[in-house]
Amino acid sequence: MLTITQALVDQIVAHARRDHPDEACGVIAGPEGTGRPERFIPMLNAAMSPTFYEFDSGDLLKLYREMDDRDEEPVVVYHSHTSTEAHPSRTDISLASEPNAHYVLVSTADTDGLGEFQFRSFRIVDGVVTEEEVTVVEAY
């Protein structure tokens, strides 16, 4: 289960809306070993594409060094889908390299008639996708 603050959810959704029609992407870091997402880090989609996201390799290396210096780890890896539901694509699954991370997807398309976005979280380990419950809290 992913427990995340409303403020972080709002930041992810705002980033997805701001970058639309391109996919948005980023990371939420947290203290190592806690599983608690705390520090919102929006990233540039180097692919600049409405159907694909790619972290800039230089930015990603800098981020991992920074997290290492701060004793943090990527707790959430997020990106948006602009015209499909919030579910990992085959490409998303093949690129998932953080077995302990929550993979959050936000859809900026109304694919289910329930509103203009979906917010869902998944675990992706060795190519196996498992959707998980998301609990939104005001504070930890």
Side-chain angles (χ1 to χ4, degrees), residues 5-89:
T5 64
Q6 184 65 58
L8 288 170
V9 169
D10 292 346
Q11 287 178 295
I12 291 171
V13 171
H15 185 200
R17 287 180 173 152
R18 186 171 57 248
D19 282 12
H20 187 86
D22 289 338
E23 289 192 3
C25 58
V27 172
I28 302 177
E32 245 178 59
T34 66
R36 190 174 63 238
E38 291 185 355
R39 188 166 64 96
F40 178 73
I41 307 155
M43 303 285 284
L44 173 69
N45 178 354
M48 299 175 71
S49 168
T51 59
F52 182 74
Y53 82 97
E54 180 179 26
F55 291 119
D56 177 84
S57 59
D59 289 347
L60 197 57
L61 179 61
K62 180 181 170 189
L63 171 62
Y64 272 81
R65 286 181 176 159
E66 184 180 287
M67 286 190 298
D68 190 48
D69 289 345
R70 296 171 63 126
D71 294 323
E72 293 177 325
E73 63 187 352
V75 177
V76 170
V77 177
Y78 74 88
H79 77 280
S80 62
H81 283 182
T82 61
S83 60
T84 59
E85 70 174 316
H87 193 277
S89 68

